[in-house]
Amino acid sequence: MQADRTSLSRLGGRALSVALAFSLSLPLAGLAHADEYHLGVMDKLRVRVAEWQTAEGAVRDWTAVSGDYAIGASGKVSIPFLGELSAAGRTTEDVSEDIGKRMQQLFGLRDRPSASVEIAEYRPIFMMGAVQTPGQFPYAPGMTVLKAVSVAGGLRRADAGQRFARDFLQAKGDGDVLIAERNRLLVRRLRLVAEMQGKTAIEIPDNFKNIPDLNQLLDSEKAIMNSRGAKLQAQLSSLADLKSLLNTQIEAFGKKSETQTRQLKLVEEDRDKVNSLSEQGLALSSRKLSAEQQVSDLQSNLLDIDTSTLKAKQDLNQAVQDEKTTKNDWDAQLAQELQDTEAQLDEIDLKLSTNRGLMAEALLQSAESAATKGPDDQINVAYSIVREKDGKATETAVDENTKVLPGDVVKVNVKLDRPAMR
């Protein structure tokens, strides 16, 4: 950032001296990132619930429970049938586990439903002070103070001589947001390629190792990869078990059919003998009737066995087709996601190109602003964050690279210092 300011001063002329003064009293670990995000009031959650039914070998979607829900002022989220669940101060994993347990208990399910809880919309941040448009703004993961200022329209400037700083900071902030999004999409593309190649790990090229927050991006994509892979394997494993069971049934029906066929042959021979004796008056009609009944029962059993065998073969063919369909759908989904990711990367590259042009224009404008500004004047910008913790709000001085968290109030103070008259 210091190099950027030096460049600005040189392009603006020797008469321009820009010094941004920041206080760095806030511990970096406190605002740079959080290992686990804890939910809060105004966070909006997207809940999806599905249940794997072992007996049927199918997935059941609980659409009555799935949906988007907001965490209310009480710190709880209200879900149909389940009632209110504590959410504030907890992680999405904690809430998803509660949903699965409560549904299993409430509905008496054999298998615990799988609940997926993700943040649909973070609670907003608030900008105040010397920004173009103070107010409430949506939070985005990885947002820094500089990005937050950019979202709020950049620094507010009263005179034209300082407008270049606002334009440059806004363009730089927009560029940082685009680069962060581009990095996320690049890592996603690596994950999709790995999934399409059937790999269990994401391979990182050497030129990716300088990407900021690479480990965080990788962890996110690995979690998605593992979850999707486990779901696919569970479906394929269930279909494989079903095929094995049907093959066993078909084999058993075949053996049973052979046994019944031999018995039928013996009974038919006995019936023929009884019929012969009956014609000679040496056998009773009751014995003849009994022999005919045995033949009829065995023929009926054989017909039932053939019907059951045919049904098992049909089910086996359906299971084989379902297995192919599952794999084909998986491949098609990956291909579509990869295509969408490539399109988004192309769009971001175009936006970055435009953004670089805006930054270059802001640098050129600095030469004009130097003529209206004293040679010894300095622009002093101070940032601070007001954050609530344990019900108490604390204000701490920060710099432009400090990470912002949902619910933060970012205060910006800008003033022009002129040297004292001698």
Side-chain angles (χ1 to χ4, degrees), residues 1-13 16-24 146 155 157 164-165 168-169 172 359 363 366 379-383 398-401:
M1 186 62 190
Q2 185 61 35
D4 291 339
R5 295 184 186 124
T6 303
S7 299
L8 283 172
S9 300
R10 290 175 179 174
L11 287 174
L16 177 63
S17 172
V18 180
L20 300 181
F22 305 102
S23 174
L24 304 179
L146 182 61
L155 296 176
R157 291 293 185 270
F164 80 94
F168 183 82
L169 285 175
K172 187 176 184 301
M359 292 177 65
L363 289 173
S366 66
I379 299 175
N380 290 315
V381 183
Y383 301 114
V398 297
D399 65 20
E400 63 185 14
N401 295 315

Side-chain angles (χ1 to χ4, degrees), residues 22-26 31 145 382-385 396-400 402:
F22 305 102
S23 174
L24 304 179
S25 61
L26 183 68
L31 285 177
V145 170
Y383 301 114
S384 64
I385 287 180
T396 313
V398 297
D399 65 20
E400 63 185 14
T402 300

Side-chain angles (χ1 to χ4, degrees), residues 125 127 130-133 137 143-155 166-178 355 383 400 410 412:
I125 63 167
M127 301 296 300
V131 291
Q132 192 67 22
T133 53
F137 298 91
M143 179 176 282
T144 63
V145 170
L146 182 61
K147 295 176 184 178
V149 172
S150 173
V151 170
L155 296 176
R166 179 195 65 200
D167 295 341
F168 183 82
L169 285 175
Q170 181 174 351
K172 187 176 184 301
D174 292 342
D176 289 343
V177 172
L178 290 172
N355 182 262
Y383 301 114
E400 63 185 14
V410 180
V412 183

